[in-house]
Amino acid sequence: WKPIEGFNFEEILFEEYNHIAKVTINRPRYRNAFTPRTVWEMSQAFNYCREALDIRVVLLTGAGDKAFCSGGDMHVKGRGGYVGGDGVPRLNVLDLQMQIRRLPKPVIAMVNGYAIGGGHVLHVVCDLSIASDNAIFGQTGPKVGSFDAGFGASYLARIVGQKKAREIWYLCRQYSAVEAERMGLVNKVVPFEKLEDECIEWAETMMERSPLALRMMKAGFNAELDGQAGIQELAGDATMLYYTLDEAQEGGKAFLEKRKPDFDKYPQFP
Ligand code: 2NE
């Protein structure tokens, strides 16, 4: 892995290998709990991944062998959100969830230990989750004075079903990697030492597929669940494709040349 230069990150690592970006929450002392700064840094990294044409797949993980992410840092939880260096309470992880969901490239959660609370929701919003055999999954909100009734509820329920999702949130139990796999909450469980290799193999397989086809599939999966916002994403991709056609170019050219556009010469499909 080679560090991606140009950032002054303190709470994450940001690296690249063979067109795969790896975002690592780097607060192992706190089981990789996130602060507003951690989330802000992750957001910068995901924004880079969106813009960088050479990045094809993103891995999200946590440093060390204990935790993927244990959610919001309880030391800085204030009234109204998690409080950063500027003294302002924020729930900026909710924006990060949207960003991961809207990134037109696959994101793999490489779950290397505890995925708890807001950290659990982060793996839920990734396209795929691959877990090591020591991974443990669960929500804690109703036990610690919090909840995520957004993707943390509705998308989780789409994955594991309504009954199981309600169990996860109402009881706040912890589930093993094997149980998570049985629920369809993770795609695969592997020994800890093999986790990164497995994720790279999945990423490299996806990189052999058509990037545009994967982008459209992600938008399609999202559209079914995200209502107007999901349709907007899929529609935006359709517009992008339309702009690559001569038919769309003709409209713009005709306007600039102050003539009537001639759309009849372009092929129509039944
Ligand atoms: C993650 C878990 C289950 C790990 O347990 P264990 O026994 O392996 O470790 P331990 O001893 O609990 O934790 C090690 C150190 O990490 C800190 C602990 O306080 C401890 O520090 P020291 O006692 O050594 O000083 N640590 C762990 N998680 C932390 C956290 N989230 N914030 C700050 N420090 C943390 C166990 O540690 C655990 O249950 N952690 C709490 C999980 C949790 O409740 N997270 C918040 C959920 S709410 C949320 O994330 C959220 C939301 O619901 C809605 C929107 C946005 C966020």
Side-chain angles (χ1 to χ4, degrees):
W1 293 98
K2 179 169 69 66
I4 296 178
E5 306 290 350
F7 298 96
N8 204 8
F9 291 149
E10 294 172 3
E11 301 190 359
I12 69 166
L13 304 173
F14 189 34
E15 298 159 291
E16 193 262 342
Y17 163 77
N18 189 25
H19 308 292
I20 304 167
K22 183 167 70 165
V23 179
T24 306
I25 303 173
N26 192 22
R27 305 186 75 234
R29 164 72 182 81
Y30 303 105
R31 299 291 187 264
N32 296 318
F34 55 75
T35 68
R37 182 174 179 107
T38 325
V39 172
W40 177 78
E41 291 183 2
M42 291 166 80
S43 180
Q44 307 290 306
F46 274 94
N47 194 43
Y48 175 95
C49 293
R50 167 134 206 167
E51 297 295 325
L53 305 182
D54 59 331
I55 296 297
R56 297 275 305 277
V57 178
V58 183
L59 303 188
L60 175 60
T61 192
D65 60 359
K66 300 243 172 348
F68 170 76
C69 175
S70 63
D73 187 322
M74 301 299 273
H75 297 107
V76 298
K77 186 168 172 240
R79 290 175 187 269
Y82 295 86
V83 182
D86 58 2
V88 177
R90 288 195 171 81
L91 273 170
N92 53 351
V93 74
L94 304 182
D95 297 321
L96 178 66
Q97 293 171 4
M98 289 295 288
Q99 207 182 345
I100 293 172
R101 211 164 157 77
R102 292 189 71 113
L103 184 80
K105 305 174 186 184
V107 182
I108 304 177
M110 186 162 97
V111 186
N112 55 314
Y114 283 106
I116 297 284
H120 187 257
V121 180
L122 278 180
H123 105 84
V124 165
V125 298
C126 291
D127 295 276
L128 302 166
S129 294
I130 301 181
S132 52
D133 47 11
N134 66 328
I136 295 179
F137 299 80
Q139 298 295 159
T140 60
K143 205 164 65 175
V144 299
S146 183
F147 61 88
D148 180 344
F151 287 129
S154 57
Y155 189 40
L156 180 68
R158 288 291 187 127
I159 296 169
V160 300
Q162 284 281 341
K163 297 279 183 190
K164 204 72 196 174
R166 286 168 202 238
E167 173 193 315
I168 290 170
W169 273 99
Y170 296 175
L171 278 74
C172 300
R173 284 182 173 154
Q174 294 184 351
Y175 301 86
S176 69
V178 171
E179 287 173 298
E181 190 179 25
R182 221 177 280 140
M183 284 184 235
L185 191 53
V186 300
N187 296 86
K188 189 164 181 185
V189 179
V190 295
F192 181 84
E193 322 73 72
K194 300 223 165 93
L195 180 61
E196 189 161 283
D197 285 349
E198 186 74 24
C199 291
I200 289 172
E201 193 192 315
W202 283 51
E204 287 178 339
T205 302
M206 288 190 284
M207 290 194 300
E208 288 170 12
R209 312 296 178 235
S210 156
L212 189 54
L214 299 194
R215 177 179 182 144
M216 298 305 290
M217 286 311 300
K218 179 162 180 171
F221 285 123
N222 289 352
E224 195 247 329
L225 302 175
D226 292 356
Q228 190 75 28
I231 293 168
Q232 193 258 4
E233 185 185 333
L234 188 62
D237 285 344
T239 305
M240 176 193 74
L241 285 175
Y242 176 61
Y243 281 2
T244 68
L245 299 179
D246 290 341
E247 182 178 334
Q249 295 300 313
E250 165 65 6
K253 261 197 258 166
F255 173 81
L256 294 174
E257 291 165 9
K258 299 189 188 306
R259 60 174 172 82
K260 262 178 93 170
D262 174 10
F263 292 120
D264 292 341
K265 55 190 173 185
Y266 303 108
Q268 305 283 311
F269 300 97

